[in-house]
Amino acid sequence: MHLHRLPQGDGPAPPPGGRERSRNVLDRFAIDFSLCMYCGICIEVCPFDALFWSPEFEYAETDIHELTHERDKLREWMWTVPAPPALDPGAEEPKEIAAARKSAEKQAAAAQAAAAQAEAARTEPEEGDA
């Protein structure tokens, strides 16, 4: 993996004597299978659940430099990755899903309230109609 830092100019100014704020940007993702021990630690600790084992194993090369697989070559194997196991039915809902659901429900309630208000305004009798 290769990361580089970009200056982050839209944030607050650094305190006097402090360093400028920056953020990491992933500009390359590659796996060097000549260094891989196939232990699976990277898959276990990935905070984004972005790494998975594939049943593909036939990637022998005659040149060791060709064992570094860039993102495009890794993407070719995506169809071989099995679906992740189902969540434990008794497990707590992931906070990302709960936050997305709450936001969607809030937007739906706001849209429903706006529609009801528009309907009430449309069906209200005018002053001279009574």
Side-chain angles (χ1 to χ4, degrees):
M1 243 185 320
H2 183 260
L3 290 172
H4 72 272
R5 296 177 87 71
L6 290 179
Q8 191 170 348
D10 57 350
R19 65 181 174 89
E20 186 175 323
R21 296 188 181 272
S22 62
R23 62 186 169 104
N24 291 331
V25 175
L26 182 68
D27 64 346
R28 177 180 177 218
F29 184 84
I31 297 176
D32 187 347
F33 285 101
S34 69
L35 299 174
C36 182
M37 296 186 302
Y38 302 94
C39 64
I41 292 174
C42 58
I43 293 167
E44 294 297 320
V45 301
C46 179
F48 306 105
D49 289 333
L51 300 175
F52 299 93
W53 282 117
S54 167
E56 287 293 318
F57 60 89
E58 297 179 16
Y59 47 85
E61 301 287 347
T62 56
D63 183 2
I64 196 167
H65 295 98
E66 303 215 4
L67 285 172
T68 299
H69 293 189
E70 299 290 337
R71 184 177 55 190
D72 293 335
K73 183 151 187 166
L74 294 168
R75 186 175 288 135
E76 292 174 11
W77 293 355
M78 281 303 297
W79 66 272
T80 67
V81 176
L87 295 176
D88 181 1
E92 187 176 308
E93 183 177 48
K95 61 184 174 189
E96 297 85 357
I97 293 175
R101 178 175 287 114
K102 186 176 179 181
S103 176
E105 288 171 356
K106 195 176 191 181
Q107 288 177 349
Q112 190 175 16
Q117 191 176 22
E119 179 67 24
R122 191 168 42 93
T123 58
E124 231 176 59
E126 302 215 7
E127 288 181 23
D129 291 347

